[in-house]
Amino acid sequence: MTSVNTGLNPYANYGSAYARAAATQPSLANTLNANESASASSSAATNLTLSDAARAQLANSGDVKTIAAVITETRTALDGLYTAAKVKGPYDASGKLTVDLASLDRRALFAISTNNGGSFTADEQKAASAELAQRFNAAMSPAAGTAKLTGNFAGLYKAAADYLDAAGPEEKATTLWAAQRDAVAKGVQATQQTPDKAPSGIAGDPVAAFLAQPDEAPPVKSIGDVAKAVRAALDAQAKAARDSGKGELVFDAGRKTGQMADLSGIDNRSLSAMSLNQDGLFSKEESFAAKQTLDARNRAAILDALQASQKSGDPAQLSLGILNVYSGMSDEERTASNWTPAFRDNAVAAYKSTNNILSMLKG
């Protein structure tokens, strides 16, 4: 099995936009222990050692969980995933991923990818880096879809800024993060002045690297497998309710008995699988509750777009926000929510007409 690249850049050679952007950034040499890196073999793990300044920054981070606690909890969580999947590592003999790292938060994934504390294998670093790259792409994809529909690139840089700003303290303490954040800030400024033109010539711009990727849809789990997974999750909730003496799992808040199902942790594609119920795995009550939850989330997203429009004073932001939600949906989510192509086209037309009116007013 091919081991992860152990050079100074922890994102190198993972074949993603984030990786390629990282490759053009200043190295992490000032945050790495050069002696350990120099003495490591090509298959050894890379340890991220923070500078004194970075350590001071982390020490003043308030109530943030310590990195030692993150490492311990992450190591336990990884081992738990292996036990549940009856495997010994993140890849099988053919190089296929054996576990899903979606349950790990970004700070945990960054700790794994940089082997913070020396607790993670080369394959674990590789898997975590790939998951981080996928999350960056997922964060960018809705805005990219909107940009294709409207020709407005400003949303791409806002999405990149939001993603970078959500990083954990260890990631923010690296020169890589600082360089990318600076590049994105320049992109934000450029698109504020000329939103219909993608900026060029910004060194280490992760958005430009993302746009340069081949336009290929990433592999996704079939909706049938999604339905089976959420069925298992609901069955686990039902068992927990029975075991605790709370009775059956219910989906109607008006019920006087039973344990109310918790759909808050179920993602929108899983909710759409419940709502559509293509394989008949769910009851009418379960499907109805999923549809209500999905609709409530969509309403909240539209309200967020409206508030952003009001706050910015730009009425076109409402249409852009709606298109971002549409672009971020799977086909099943759009079907379950009845967000049709005609709905999308109306939002595009509303954006363009509003933009034209604003342009005339400015002129």
Side-chain angles (χ1 to χ4, degrees):
M1 193 178 307
T2 302
S3 64
V4 67
N5 181 290
T6 57
L8 294 179
N9 182 350
Y11 292 101
N13 299 331
Y14 293 132
S16 67
Y18 198 65
R20 284 192 290 273
T24 65
Q25 297 289 350
S27 76
L28 299 180
N30 64 328
T31 61
L32 292 172
N33 184 316
N35 291 333
E36 290 179 352
S37 297
S39 62
S41 68
S42 62
S43 62
T46 299
N47 297 321
L48 179 68
T49 304
L50 297 179
S51 65
D52 290 340
R55 290 179 188 276
Q57 178 181 335
L58 297 181
N60 294 323
S61 57
D63 296 329
V64 175
K65 185 183 297 182
T66 67
I67 187 59
V70 170
I71 292 169
T72 299
E73 293 174 7
T74 303
R75 180 69 268 167
T76 300
L78 271 178
D79 292 340
L81 290 174
Y82 299 151
T83 299
K86 299 180 180 179
V87 296
K88 294 183 178 180
Y91 295 102
D92 63 17
S94 66
K96 182 179 179 182
L97 198 65
T98 59
V99 292
D100 186 355
L101 301 183
S103 61
L104 300 180
D105 67 24
R106 180 169 167 185
R107 196 175 175 208
L109 288 168
F110 188 77
I112 299 170
S113 70
T114 55
N115 193 26
N116 206 323
S119 298
F120 307 102
T121 68
D123 280 338
E124 288 169 343
Q125 290 178 68
K126 177 181 177 181
S129 294
E131 176 67 18
L132 282 170
Q134 288 174 9
R135 292 190 188 188
F136 176 78
N137 287 347
M140 297 299 295
S141 290
T146 298
K148 288 181 179 179
L149 292 169
T150 64
N152 188 317
F153 291 90
L156 276 162
Y157 283 88
K158 182 182 183 303
D162 290 345
Y163 179 86
L164 289 169
D165 289 345
E170 294 79 26
E171 190 172 348
K172 286 183 175 179
T174 65
T175 53
L176 171 60
W177 182 91
Q180 287 192 325
R181 190 62 184 83
D182 180 65
V184 167
K186 292 176 181 176
V188 168
Q189 184 177 22
T191 54
Q192 285 175 343
Q193 296 173 353
T194 314
D196 59 350
K197 181 180 179 181
S200 61
I202 301 175
D205 181 0
V207 178
F210 173 83
L211 292 173
Q213 289 186 109
D215 191 10
E216 299 176 355
V220 295
K221 186 184 296 184
S222 73
I223 195 64
D225 287 341
V226 170
K228 291 175 184 177
V230 72
R231 176 71 270 164
L234 292 175
D235 290 344
Q237 283 194 34
K239 183 179 184 302
R242 291 193 302 270
D243 292 346
S244 63
K246 296 179 180 179
E248 66 176 322
L249 194 67
V250 298
F251 294 83
D252 182 357
R255 289 279 297 270
K256 302 298 182 184
T257 60
Q259 172 67 47
M260 187 67 188
D262 181 8
L263 303 184
S264 63
I266 297 178
D267 64 79
N268 287 356
R269 190 162 184 245
S270 297
L271 288 174
S272 68
M274 291 176 62
S275 176
L276 296 172
N277 199 19
Q278 294 175 344
D279 296 326
L281 298 179
F282 307 99
S283 67
K284 290 181 179 179
E285 292 80 7
E286 290 170 332
S287 293
F288 182 70
K291 181 67 164 65
Q292 284 187 312
T293 303
L294 194 59
D295 288 346
R297 291 182 185 179
N298 289 335
R299 286 193 298 270
I302 293 174
L303 180 59
D304 286 345
L306 176 60
Q307 291 173 339
S309 174
Q310 293 171 335
K311 184 177 180 180
S312 67
D314 180 2
Q317 290 299 316
L318 174 58
S319 297
L320 286 175
I322 291 172
L323 289 169
N324 274 344
V325 177
Y326 181 92
S327 297
M329 287 179 166
S330 64
D331 290 340
E332 295 83 11
E333 290 169 59
R334 292 170 186 158
T335 300
S337 302
N338 197 31
W339 283 40
T340 63
F343 176 85
R344 174 203 64 202
D345 293 342
N346 285 337
V348 172
Y351 166 77
K352 291 181 176 179
S353 62
T354 301
N355 235 22
N356 287 336
I357 292 172
L358 292 174
S359 296
M360 287 188 289
L361 292 175
K362 290 177 181 177

